[in-house]
Amino acid sequence: AEAAVAQGLTALKLDIDDFLYLGERPALIRCHGADLGRHITNAEIRQVAASVAAIRERLGPDVGLALDCHWAFDVPSALRLARALEPYDLMWLEDPTPPKSPVALAQLAARLPMPLCLGEALATRFEFREILERGGAHVIMPDVASSGGLLEMKKIAALADTYYVPMAPHDMVGPLATAASVQLCLTIPNLLIMEHQLTDVPWRHELTDEPLLLQDGHYAVPTRPGLGLKLNHDAVRKYRAE
């Protein structure tokens, strides 16, 4: 975390999966396909709160912290967890529940002590519409690679802006999606922040004809036509999965 701040990043997103463990077995294995229920225990809440508290103390009050829950919980559990995390001034709590019930999301958003963020699992403006209408999100995080592409992302941003909801584009796919997201961020009025994957495969920058590099916490805007870079097909063939 400190290394990321030293590179100029002003906010960090934590994955709850990384530090919520019971013994040798991940307590949140349910996040990744095995349905063990959506309840969170008091012991798990204390474990998450202790981890977030330690990171907040280490980084100080000025670095933004967000927590991604990967759709793990039910509404009561999400609320209990959120109350325990209130002292640590989170930028947002991301995807504490599955995103497909606008009613549940609205109930949750109205009671959380920090902003509710969601959207990476939603596609097109039609899946965002009712959530925004019901007040079910404080920050939205669609992904250019899965939410409909650049034009649809602009429509989602415009729709969210009518409710004064900011956008923080999700970006975990690869360098072309990152380049597209940078172009998007230049054109929307309700940009909050753009996600950046700090660690990736060592050959990430070989996939394009020139690297898109982070400089002092920001991307330099490409000046070439289109996305500003091109796919290196030789590298794609070299590293593609069989």
Side-chain angles (χ1 to χ4, degrees), residues 6-21:
Q7 292 184 41
L9 300 180
T10 58
L12 302 175
K13 186 167 80 171
L14 314 173
D15 283 343
I16 199 170
D17 323 41
D18 290 340
F19 48 74
L20 183 51
Y21 290 90

Side-chain angles (χ1 to χ4, degrees), residues 11 58 63 82 128 221:
R58 190 70 178 263
V63 175
F128 284 90
V221 179

Side-chain angles (χ1 to χ4, degrees), residues 149-165:
L150 275 171
L151 182 57
E152 189 67 15
M153 287 280 281
K154 284 181 61 66
K155 293 177 181 178
I156 293 168
L159 176 63
D161 195 38
T162 65
Y163 294 93
Y164 310 116
V165 170

Side-chain angles (χ1 to χ4, degrees), residues 35-213:
D35 186 5
L36 301 182
R38 300 191 184 281
H39 177 69
I40 188 170
T41 67
N42 289 340
E44 290 174 322
I45 289 175
R46 288 195 299 272
Q47 193 165 344
V48 174
S51 299
V52 174
I55 294 170
R56 171 56 79 199
E57 182 178 4
R58 190 70 178 263
L59 295 180
D62 297 331
V63 175
L65 283 182
L67 182 64
D68 190 346
C69 298
H70 290 136
W71 317 284
F73 306 118
D74 53 34
V75 171
S77 291
L79 289 170
R80 290 170 53 232
L81 175 63
R83 285 194 291 269
L85 297 176
E86 185 174 6
Y88 309 114
D89 193 22
L90 294 184
M91 288 178 64
W92 65 63
L93 190 66
E94 184 177 336
D95 287 320
T97 66
K100 299 299 186 178
S101 172
V103 173
L105 292 171
Q107 293 172 349
L108 188 59
R111 299 172 63 187
L112 282 182
M114 71 279 292
L116 174 61
C117 176
L118 56 88
E120 67 176 271
L122 301 178
T124 79
R125 63 196 183 278
F126 297 101
E127 291 194 348
F128 284 90
R129 180 186 60 80
E130 188 177 357
I131 292 171
L132 291 167
E133 286 177 348
R134 290 180 178 270
H138 302 118
V139 180
I140 59 167
M141 182 173 268
D143 190 309
V144 70
S146 58
S147 295
L150 275 171
L151 182 57
E152 189 67 15
M153 287 280 281
K154 284 181 61 66
K155 293 177 181 178
I156 293 168
L159 176 63
D161 195 38
T162 65
Y163 294 93
Y164 310 116
V165 170
M167 178 185 281
H170 185 261
D171 179 41
M172 295 289 287
V173 177
L176 285 185
T178 298
S181 297
V182 168
Q183 298 292 339
L184 171 77
C185 290
L186 296 169
T187 66
I188 59 175
N190 51 336
L191 174 67
L192 173 60
I193 197 169
M194 177 183 153
E195 186 171 33
H196 166 68
Q197 188 173 2
L198 193 59
T199 57
D200 202 346
V201 293
W203 38 266
R204 173 186 174 95
H205 296 309
E206 295 180 43
L207 296 176
T208 53
D209 62 347
E210 64 180 62
L212 185 61
L213 300 175

